[in-house]
Amino acid sequence: MKKFALATTILLTTGQLFAQQIKIGDNAGAVTFEEYEPKSTLVVPGKPITRAKFPFIDIHNHQWEMNGKDDLNKLITEMDKLNMGIMVNLSGRGFNQDEAKSTAGLVKQIESVKTYYPNRFAIFTNIDFSKINEPDWTAKAVKTLEDDVKLRGAKGLKIYKSLGFNVKDNGKIVPVDDPRIDPIWKKAGELGIPVLIHTADPSSFWDPINAQNERWLELKTHPGRKRDASAGKEFTWEELLVQQHNVFRKNPKTIFINAHMGWYPNNLAKLDSLMDAFPNMYAEIGAVIAELGRQPRTAKKFFEKRQDRILFGKDSWVPDEYQTYFRVLESEDEYFPYHKKYHAYWRMYGLGLPDEVLKKVYYKNALKIVPGLDKGQFPK
């Protein structure tokens, strides 16, 4: 007992001394997880890539100011620095529930593009689900989609994640595979346009916010992203993806671009099986490059296998962040930083994709499925 007591005293004393030592200096030992951003001492070859190796098509972008020459000139300046050949604006109608105003906005964007830079932009249209409970909603929505493509010049359809989250009918959330929407999916196939669909969010958003949640920091800094299906008022993550996959299955003649790699970038084996199950499904990499950059060998094998059905996308328009995408896809660099800590507190590694795979991801696959894009500005 005396020896145990002596050992305990020594440990307590040592602990007290250590606690005092880490407090020496200004704020020493008071760094929080959010603040902790150590400068790596690792010395390895590599450098940032600020311009893509090949001209590329960003299939997933959102722009709200494309109404004239000045707006487009600003975008073109940044696009040229990045070597972006074509930008796809998915928000042609935005979120406006006034059909006349949203139509006018779509038309103005498309006309501005045609007038000043007809080969550098493509505009997708959107569906307003706010009146889905009205008896004639389906017929009107199908007609609007057809007119947007045939008469107004839209190149595709973007479905926001609000479908499955907060689109409601008599207080109940409308599922992604609601039968009233089926004619819209079918019409898109008949028109020969792709449907870029965002369903759900990272699965961690449904998990408890605790020390085991990889998205803890993101949920702490963006609490509105937390989902809760426990009360039965929201769909679970699994339910939403089942609904989405039902849509793919029921519409084999329609091409779907699954945004954010279908929220399986951290489980590429599962995504690979889905691509077998749904030959009409493509995947785009917007906002999930951090997942690919932490599994370079597995991701490279996946890209090489599925090279004909992966598209480049970024999502948010922050030009400086594109260099992370270029470096992950093009280089074999090791242990370099990601641009948002709350998305990824880990470091990135380059996949070092072969040129032919890069060309397909950067532009060839998009040229294959989006009608009317200018192929002349891209290498063969």
Side-chain angles (χ1 to χ4, degrees), residues 263-302:
W263 297 120
Y264 279 113
N266 56 342
N267 187 350
L268 294 178
K270 175 64 176 179
L271 181 57
D272 185 61
S273 70
L274 292 175
M275 298 188 96
D276 279 334
F278 309 122
N280 56 329
M281 184 191 83
Y282 286 66
E284 66 90 19
I285 64 174
V288 295
I289 197 70
E291 297 291 354
L292 303 174
R294 65 171 170 170
Q295 50 173 334
R297 290 186 289 274
T298 298
K300 183 175 183 178
K301 290 178 182 177
F302 177 82

Side-chain angles (χ1 to χ4, degrees), residues 223-352:
R225 298 180 181 181
K226 180 70 175 73
R227 313 304 304 187
D228 184 5
S230 60
K233 294 182 179 180
E234 295 185 359
F235 294 118
T236 65
W237 184 79
E238 291 80 5
E239 287 172 335
L240 286 169
L241 292 194
V242 166
Q243 293 167 16
Q244 185 199 63
H245 299 161
N246 287 341
V247 171
F248 298 164
R249 186 178 296 105
K250 288 193 297 181
N251 298 276
K253 295 183 179 180
T254 301
I255 291 177
F256 292 92
I257 303 171
N258 205 340
H260 315 296
M261 300 189 89
W263 297 120
Y264 279 113
N266 56 342
N267 187 350
L268 294 178
K270 175 64 176 179
L271 181 57
D272 185 61
S273 70
L274 292 175
M275 298 188 96
D276 279 334
F278 309 122
N280 56 329
M281 184 191 83
Y282 286 66
E284 66 90 19
I285 64 174
V288 295
I289 197 70
E291 297 291 354
L292 303 174
R294 65 171 170 170
Q295 50 173 334
R297 290 186 289 274
T298 298
K300 183 175 183 178
K301 290 178 182 177
F302 177 82
F303 271 69
E304 289 177 339
K305 180 178 180 180
R306 298 299 184 181
Q307 59 185 272
D308 295 316
R309 288 162 61 192
I310 303 174
L311 304 170
F312 184 96
K314 167 69 173 62
D315 197 354
S316 60
W317 176 238
V318 185
D320 289 345
E321 294 178 355
Y322 280 82
Q323 61 183 285
T324 306
Y325 287 73
F326 304 154
R327 196 171 181 183
V328 169
L329 296 176
E330 297 180 19
S331 81
E332 294 184 343
D333 293 354
E334 298 178 292
Y335 201 78
F336 54 91
Y338 182 66
H339 51 262
K340 286 180 181 175
K341 184 179 178 181
Y342 70 79
H343 269 178
Y345 52 83
W346 52 83
R347 293 296 190 257
M348 301 290 99
Y349 297 82
L351 277 58

Side-chain angles (χ1 to χ4, degrees), residues 138-164:
T138 298
K140 286 183 176 179
V142 169
K143 182 65 166 60
T144 298
L145 174 62
E146 187 168 23
D147 288 348
D148 283 352
V149 175
K150 289 185 174 181
L151 303 180
R152 301 180 183 114
K155 303 296 185 184
L157 172 63
K158 163 65 184 340
I159 302 297
Y160 297 115
K161 68 177 179 180
S162 55
L163 180 62

Side-chain angles (χ1 to χ4, degrees), residues 52-228:
K53 186 174 185 179
F54 302 107
F56 67 96
I57 297 171
D58 186 346
I59 199 73
H60 191 151
N61 209 288
H62 296 282
Q63 295 293 330
W64 313 105
E65 300 292 337
M66 296 182 67
N67 300 318
K69 188 175 183 179
D70 290 342
D71 290 338
L72 298 181
N73 280 345
K74 291 178 183 177
L75 290 174
I76 288 292
T77 298
E78 295 293 341
M79 290 165 60
D80 286 346
K81 291 178 183 176
L82 299 169
N83 203 15
M84 184 189 298
I86 297 175
M87 173 190 286
V88 176
N89 181 19
L90 300 178
S91 303
R93 285 183 172 269
F95 298 98
N96 197 325
Q97 294 179 1
D98 184 315
E99 184 172 358
K101 290 182 178 179
S102 67
T103 298
L106 175 69
V107 169
K108 190 170 185 179
Q109 282 192 46
I110 293 175
E111 289 303 316
S112 293
V113 166
K114 285 182 178 178
T115 301
Y116 300 109
Y117 295 101
N119 301 324
R120 299 296 300 276
F121 298 96
I123 312 297
F124 278 29
T125 187
N126 313 107
I127 297 293
D128 176 17
F129 294 100
S130 65
K131 300 178 180 66
I132 194 171
N133 61 330
E134 296 181 358
D136 57 351
W137 176 84
T138 298
K140 286 183 176 179
V142 169
K143 182 65 166 60
T144 298
L145 174 62
E146 187 168 23
D147 288 348
D148 283 352
V149 175
K150 289 185 174 181
L151 303 180
R152 301 180 183 114
K155 303 296 185 184
L157 172 63
K158 163 65 184 340
I159 302 297
Y160 297 115
K161 68 177 179 180
S162 55
L163 180 62
F165 273 169
N166 49 35
V167 172
K168 294 184 178 181
D169 180 4
N170 293 319
K172 292 186 177 181
I173 298 178
V174 175
V176 179
D177 58 351
D178 190 291
R180 289 171 290 187
I181 311 173
D182 286 346
I184 294 174
W185 312 131
K186 182 180 179 182
K187 177 56 68 174
E190 292 173 355
L191 292 169
I193 60 167
V195 178
L196 194 150
I197 181 169
H198 177 168
T199 301
D201 268 334
S203 60
S204 297
F205 287 5
W206 279 258
D207 294 336
I209 305 177
N210 56 31
Q212 282 72 52
N213 192 323
E214 274 194 324
R215 296 276 183 161
W216 172 86
L217 182 58
E218 181 170 1
L219 293 172
K220 181 180 179 182
T221 55
H222 300 75
R225 298 180 181 181
K226 180 70 175 73
R227 313 304 304 187
D228 184 5

